[in-house]
Amino acid sequence: MEVLGLPDSLILEVLRSTARPLTCEEINVQIPELTWNQIFLSVDALSRRGEIILNRRGVEYQAIAADNPCLLLRTAAGNHS
C-alpha cells in the first residue's frame, strides 16, 4: 500500500467527511494551508489511483472519495430503482 502524502491525506479526510462532491475551490476553503497547486496535483494523483471520483459539472470538476458512505448509499439506492 502506498503511503499518502500530507496533502493527499488531508483531501481524503475532507472528502470522506462531506456528504456531497466538492470542487477544488471548495476543498481549498476547507484546507487553506494547502496551495491551489498542491490541491490540484493531489486531486489528480488521487483520481488516477481510484481513491476519488471526479465528475464534470459545467466548467468545473467535483470530487468525492470513492469510499464515501454517501456515495455508496446513492449507488445502492440507484440499483433498487
Side-chain angles (χ1 to χ4, degrees):
M1 178 179 205
E2 183 176 342
V3 176
L4 298 177
L6 179 63
D8 293 4
S9 298
L10 291 172
I11 291 169
L12 277 175
E13 182 179 324
V14 166
L15 292 175
R16 286 178 177 146
S17 67
T18 305
R20 65 177 183 83
L22 298 176
T23 64
C24 285
E25 288 77 14
E26 292 171 319
I27 294 169
N28 195 214
V29 169
Q30 296 289 322
I31 316 169
E33 62 270 22
L34 296 180
T35 66
W36 195 92
N37 289 337
Q38 288 175 303
I39 291 170
F40 181 83
L41 289 172
S42 288
V43 165
D44 179 54
L46 290 165
S47 174
R48 290 175 189 271
R49 290 195 304 260
E51 295 183 62
I52 65 171
I53 298 168
L54 289 175
N55 291 311
R56 188 170 184 172
R57 299 282 185 234
V59 296
E60 295 183 319
Y61 284 89
Q62 296 179 326
I64 191 165
D67 61 354
N68 186 304
C70 294
L71 177 65
L72 298 174
L73 289 173
R74 276 188 249 154
T75 303
N79 289 337
H80 297 303
S81 307

